Structure formats: structure tokens, C-alpha cells
Amino acid sequence: MAKKSMVNREVKRAKLVQQHAGKRAALKAVIEDQSKPMEERFKATLKLAEMPRNSSAVRLHNRCQLTGRPHAYYRKLKLSRIMLRELASFGQIPGMVKSSW
């Protein structure tokens, strides 16, 4: 089980990303627009830099829904490899059977 503080930090980051997504997208559109004057694009760059770091989607990290484990994460199932194997062994994932030969 991951530390509660780390899981809570990820939740907080996700909220910040969602809250600032529109403003970040607008500023990035201004920055990438070559028809705008250089001064306006530079001001948009400075405003983007002033925004909270955790409002960037790049800082989000996928975690297991059950344990909060950050590594060995299966995106499709939103589970870590450990929980995937455990749930499959108990027959709680439809169609998945632990292999043996």
C-alpha cells in the first residue's frame, strides 16, 4: 500500500490540472501562434511560467486504484501487476485465468 500522502498528492495534482486546463491551453495557443507579435507571445510564456507547476498534466502519474502503487501499472485496467494477479487468481476479473502448464 502506498503512503496516503503520496496518493493524496496525486489527487490534488489531478484537481489542479483540471482546474487550470483551459487557461493553459489558451496560453499555449497564443505562444504557438506565429502570426502574433513576439512581445505578446513572450508575455504569454511568462504567464504560463507563473502558473502552478502541478497544474501541468505532465506531472500526473498513474497509480493503482486499489493500492496506490505507482509502478507496473496497467492503463487498461487501472491496476498494478500485483493486484491484477491477485484478482485473477480469485476469479474476480472476467475471462482472466492464471496460466499453468
Side-chain angles (χ1 to χ4, degrees):
M1 186 77 185
K3 288 171 57 175
K4 296 257 186 207
S5 60
M6 297 303 289
V7 174
N8 291 337
R9 189 179 298 171
E10 283 296 323
V11 170
K12 183 179 174 184
R13 280 185 186 140
K15 286 180 185 175
L16 268 175
V17 167
Q18 197 172 34
Q19 183 180 1
H20 292 281
K23 188 173 182 181
R24 288 184 76 87
L27 288 172
K28 285 184 180 184
V30 170
I31 292 168
E32 293 174 5
D33 188 5
Q34 296 293 326
S35 64
K36 301 260 185 196
M38 189 65 178
E39 296 84 20
E40 186 177 339
R41 290 170 47 210
F42 186 69
K43 286 180 185 177
T45 305
L46 293 177
K47 284 184 182 178
L48 186 65
E50 289 175 1
M51 293 185 78
R53 284 186 179 177
N54 285 335
S55 67
S56 175
V58 174
R59 293 177 68 94
L60 289 177
H61 200 282
N62 293 328
R63 288 183 173 271
C64 176
Q65 294 288 312
L66 300 176
T67 61
R69 181 181 166 86
H71 299 289
Y73 175 83
Y74 287 89
R75 290 180 185 177
K76 193 171 185 178
L77 301 170
K78 297 186 178 181
L79 295 173
S80 67
R81 65 177 174 82
I82 298 166
M83 290 309 298
L84 179 65
R85 180 178 173 156
E86 192 173 308
L87 293 174
S89 294
F90 292 135
Q92 295 182 352
I93 299 177
M96 188 173 283
V97 181
K98 184 174 174 256
S99 65
S100 60
W101 62 91

